[in-house]
Amino acid sequence: MSTCKPACLPLIHKTNFQAGRLQVAASALELVIRNARVATASDTFVADIGIAGGRIVQLGMNLAAGSREIDAAGRVVTPGGVDAHCHFDQPMAPPLRMADDFDSGTRAAACGGTTTVIPFAAQEKGQSLRAAVDDYHGRAEGKAHVDYAFHLIVSDPTPKVLEEELPALIAEGYTSFKIYMTYEDLKLDDGQILDVLSVAREYGAMAMVHAENADCIEWLTKRLEAAGRTAPRFHAHARPLLVEREATHRAITLAELVDVPVLIVHVSGREAVEQIRWARSRGLKVYAETCPQYLFLTAADLGLDDNYQGAKCVCSPPPRDKANQQVIWDGLNDGLFTLFSSDHAPFRYDAPEGKKPAGEEVSFRHIPNGIPGVETRMPLLYSEGVLAGRMTLNRFVELTATNPAKAYGLHPRKGTIAIGSDADLVIWGEREFVLRNADLHHAVDYTPYEGQTLRAWPAITLIGGTVVWDGEFHPRRGRGRFLRCGKPSLAPHGARG
Ligand code: DUC
Ligand code: ZN
Ligand code: ZN
């Protein structure tokens, strides 16, 4: 593991007070962050932040001395990021294996300013949902450096799952679940989707939908393969915008039928955006998430020829074009999108368990879908959104921290800077540097953003008032806590919620 110091500055010092004065001055405050330019989703103001017991206990000017102090004069301080869509150590069919487990995945998160993650406990067909959750806890416990909650992935909605397991798990704090409209081993048919949405409605949970039409993808894939078009770039040809549009429309319609909010995840471009705008104009509670790859990558990154390197950017839905990037920027700014998540789905490029399954350069159909991004999500949007003048600082906070915490029932403990909130904070450093995978902390052997110039990186990340990143990573393996989610604020309280 490397340590990178893109914005490391000597901000931390111990206060020079005498033992006698300590009782008064530092009885309450273990840490004071001085003169911070505090940014929340709604306000930006200069204040000292007083921290005790892992929480923010005071906000104001000229706070009493803390046992430790950080001088943040001139620095922006935001809530630690909440990455509400990432995949760590999710079981895969052999030979595939995700590169990041909860150790390396949450290490990367912390170094990039994300202090809470919500990955997925995925049910295999034939498996009980409870068994999937128990298995996933085993993968996280003792490893996580940051706090974490779980979404569920429902791939086999049997009567037992719908009537017993889902209601019980929702009551225990697993209040969101993802359903897939594509992938043979995960997809649900429309009737099954209606069943799962009905449970979401009844118990006040949030359903997240991967919206791509499976039959269209399969039909296109077969035709491309028959024509010998199997290079990574044909992944985008097999999943054009209309494939996402149709499924988005269908997901909206199914949710309308059940009368329940729905969240469309990883929206990639104009056609799905148009469906979501149309639904909103009709008063439907349709929410949307997008991800860095739809702002910073295009289909050209899948390769302009048959070079296999394009496999590094194979994810679903695929990246689109420059015009669609602008559509996504517009949606981030005008409120269409509620969430900005990484969809970190980490596979090594040069590895038989990764992008070259069993060591082979395979047809795009068999390239594992997903790219790394948990560490770069916040710095990319801060650099190219806030500092490039495309987005306000407050909207940045809302999209990367506050809304994900609210959407999944973790607010106000997470996602804001307020009295009583966990002292999960990012003190930003602003200077230009070139992003290199060698400086990142995930276990993936590449970043899709290699060579990109960034203008900012967290100078310091704090979790519960403890410095976990200050240009060096300070491990807290196993001290990341499991969080039970409350009811998502975007979903109505279900009849039985
Ligand atoms: N969907 C995801 O949510 N993540 C990775 C790949 C995919 O298809
Ligand atoms: Zn998905
Ligand atoms: Zn995902």
Side-chain angles (χ1 to χ4, degrees):
M1 177 190 67
S2 66
T3 54
C4 71
K5 304 192 179 192
C8 175
L9 291 152
L11 296 176
I12 307 179
H13 59 266
K14 299 238 182 209
T15 38
N16 273 332
F17 47 73
Q18 297 183 336
R21 288 167 48 207
L22 182 65
Q23 290 170 355
V24 181
S27 57
L29 299 180
E30 292 154 14
L31 172 65
V32 176
I33 301 172
R34 294 269 171 218
N35 300 308
R37 200 167 147 239
V38 175
T40 68
S42 57
D43 301 298
T44 308
F45 53 92
V46 175
D48 300 340
I49 305 171
I51 295 165
R55 303 216 166 187
I56 297 167
V57 295
Q58 291 184 17
L59 278 171
M61 298 305 293
N62 303 315
L63 297 188
S67 304
R68 289 184 313 124
E69 303 237 339
I70 296 176
D71 178 8
R75 302 272 177 175
V76 169
V77 179
T78 63
V82 178
D83 193 342
H85 186 153
C86 46
H87 305 264
F88 301 140
D89 201 11
Q90 199 171 303
M92 309 293 300
L96 301 182
R97 185 162 46 83
M98 287 196 166
D100 284 313
D101 62 7
F102 275 81
D103 180 359
S104 62
T106 60
R107 173 180 73 204
C111 297
T114 287
T115 52
T116 300
V117 294
I118 317 183
F120 296 84
Q123 178 198 27
E124 282 174 34
K125 287 198 196 299
Q127 186 187 30
S128 91
L129 209 43
R130 174 72 65 182
V133 169
D134 290 348
D135 172 72
Y136 211 53
H137 271 292
R139 292 167 187 262
E141 272 160 23
K143 286 192 174 172
H145 299 275
V146 312
D147 291 350
Y148 58 94
F150 293 163
H151 304 294
L152 308 173
I153 290 175
V154 181
S155 69
D156 197 1
T158 61
K160 184 172 162 66
V161 166
L162 295 169
E163 290 158 23
E164 296 172 29
E165 292 195 319
L166 259 182
L169 287 164
I170 293 167
E172 290 171 33
Y174 308 86
T175 58
S176 48
F177 31 84
K178 184 173 175 191
I179 49 187
Y180 284 78
M181 300 173 85
T182 189
Y183 297 130
E184 208 44 47
D185 49 345
L186 293 171
K187 72 179 184 197
L188 305 187
D189 65 29
D190 290 356
Q192 291 173 312
I193 293 172
L194 289 168
D195 284 341
V196 175
L197 290 175
S198 299
V199 176
R201 182 180 196 277
E202 197 167 353
Y203 294 92
M206 177 54 78
M208 312 156 74
V209 181
H210 179 128
E212 289 185 297
N213 180 309
D215 288 343
C216 291
I217 294 169
E218 182 57 24
W219 188 82
L220 285 165
T221 299
K222 281 187 178 146
R223 288 172 73 95
L224 287 162
E225 285 180 336
R229 298 179 168 188
T230 58
R233 66 192 167 108
F234 293 108
H235 174 74
H237 295 230
R239 305 174 107 100
L241 283 161
L242 69 83
V243 160
E244 185 184 14
R245 179 235 295 165
E246 187 281 330
T248 301
H249 182 88
R250 188 155 35 100
I252 290 167
T253 305
L254 298 177
E256 183 178 4
L257 181 59
V258 173
D259 186 22
V260 67
V262 70
L263 170 61
I264 312 295
V265 294
H266 47 51
V267 172
S268 74
R270 179 184 303 283
E271 302 209 8
V273 163
E274 284 171 354
Q275 296 304 310
I276 296 162
R277 287 199 196 284
W278 168 81
R280 292 264 187 90
S281 74
R282 301 180 64 234
L284 300 176
K285 288 203 167 78
V286 176
Y287 301 98
E289 171 204 76
T290 193
C291 313
Q293 47 269 39
Y294 307 117
L295 293 178
F296 303 110
L297 301 179
T298 68
D301 291 301
L302 297 172
L304 296 173
D305 51 24
D306 288 354
N307 189 333
Y308 198 72
Q309 295 273 337
K312 292 178 177 174
C313 294
V314 166
C315 59
S316 290
R320 306 300 182 180
D321 60 14
K322 289 272 175 206
N324 279 285
Q325 289 181 346
Q326 189 55 49
V327 169
I328 301 297
W329 279 113
D330 292 346
L332 284 169
N333 273 317
D334 69 17
L336 180 91
F337 290 109
T338 299
L339 305 171
F340 186 74
S341 311
S342 71
D343 197 4
H344 180 85
F347 296 97
R348 291 175 66 82
Y349 172 67
D350 215 349
E353 74 279 11
K355 297 283 187 178
K356 296 181 182 172
E360 300 290 326
E361 294 190 357
V362 296
S363 162
F364 68 86
R365 176 203 282 276
H366 301 296
I367 299 172
N369 276 230
I371 62 174
V374 72
E375 189 168 358
T376 45
R377 174 186 73 118
M378 301 267 287
L380 277 169
L381 195 64
Y382 194 98
S383 294
E384 291 302 313
V386 179
L387 296 181
R390 291 192 179 99
M391 175 179 290
T392 68
L393 180 57
N394 307 106
R395 182 69 178 144
F396 166 81
V397 172
E398 190 171 38
L399 285 161
T400 57
T402 313
N403 279 352
K406 284 183 176 171
Y408 298 115
L410 296 172
H411 186 269
R413 177 173 176 187
K414 302 292 186 186
T416 192
I417 297 178
I419 306 289
S421 296
D422 284 356
D424 298 352
L425 300 163
V426 178
I427 304 175
W428 286 90
E430 297 180 13
R431 77 169 175 83
E432 267 193 25
F433 68 100
V434 175
L435 185 65
R436 300 285 176 218
N437 192 57
D439 292 329
L440 297 179
H441 299 79
H442 57 198
V444 188
D445 57 355
Y446 74 96
T447 169
Y449 310 109
E450 182 79 25
Q452 178 142 349
T453 298
L454 291 189
R455 306 178 200 206
W457 196 268
I460 296 179
T461 307
L462 298 116
I463 299 181
T466 300
V467 173
V468 64
W469 163 257
D470 59 2
E472 280 186 38
F473 176 58
H474 303 281
R476 54 196 300 280
R477 189 183 153 102
R479 285 167 53 205
R481 294 160 300 181
F482 171 66
L483 305 167
R484 294 182 192 280
C485 293
K487 289 292 165 67
S489 61
L490 305 178
H493 298 295
R496 297 212 246 164

